[in-house]
Amino acid sequence: MSDPSLNSTGCSLHEPYALQVLGNEMEPEFPDRCILIIEPTDQCRHGHYVFAEVEGVRWFRQYVEDASGTARLVALNPLYPDIELAGLEWSVLGVIIQRNVRRKIKHYDYRETRQAS
């Protein structure tokens, strides 16, 4: 049985929310167990750290687009492969605007990055 209140289109769906990083895929910038603040949006630009859904799986990665327009999601830890987005069903769920590591806060400002096509 579904709860109709969960299907709301209220403003709370557009408010920033927090998630905890589980794993080392985005180290060293985002260590295991750090807290992220995510701004809900379906838009991203080259260089943004994003929370995205690719083929039904959710990922925290950096969005990278090269000069030819080829887009991919990149883990900062080189042990993990890139996710090439060409031909896949994917969407951005939000961009990371803040990181908290043991009460040390860092903000991410994306105003100076170029627009993704």
Side-chain angles (χ1 to χ4, degrees):
M1 184 165 162
S2 69
D3 181 349
S5 66
L6 297 177
N7 296 325
S8 169
T9 58
C11 66
S12 64
L13 295 175
H14 304 288
E15 297 294 325
Y17 56 96
L19 291 177
Q20 185 175 40
V21 173
L22 299 176
N24 66 350
E25 293 92 336
M26 294 298 285
E27 288 183 355
E29 182 71 15
F30 301 94
D32 184 41
R33 305 254 182 242
C34 78
I35 303 296
L36 305 176
I37 304 298
I38 300 167
E39 179 77 34
T41 182
D42 60 357
Q43 303 292 312
C44 70
R45 299 175 190 206
H46 172 79
H48 282 188
Y49 296 110
V50 299
F51 184 49
E53 186 169 314
V54 180
E55 301 285 322
V57 178
R58 293 183 177 183
W59 299 92
F60 165 43
R61 295 288 191 265
Q62 185 174 34
Y63 177 83
V64 175
E65 186 175 302
D66 64 24
S68 68
T70 302
R72 65 189 186 279
L73 297 178
V74 176
L76 299 181
N77 184 333
L79 296 175
Y80 297 91
D82 294 353
I83 302 169
E84 301 293 335
L85 298 172
L88 299 179
E89 184 177 319
W90 70 280
S91 63
V92 174
L93 304 174
V95 296
I96 284 57
I97 59 171
Q98 183 177 308
R99 168 199 83 185
N100 184 334
V101 179
R102 292 185 226 44
R103 298 186 183 179
K104 292 181 181 160
I105 295 172
K106 180 176 180 180
H107 295 271
Y108 296 88
D109 183 1
Y110 300 114
R111 290 179 284 186
E112 299 300 319
T113 57
R114 67 179 175 88
Q115 175 70 40
S117 299

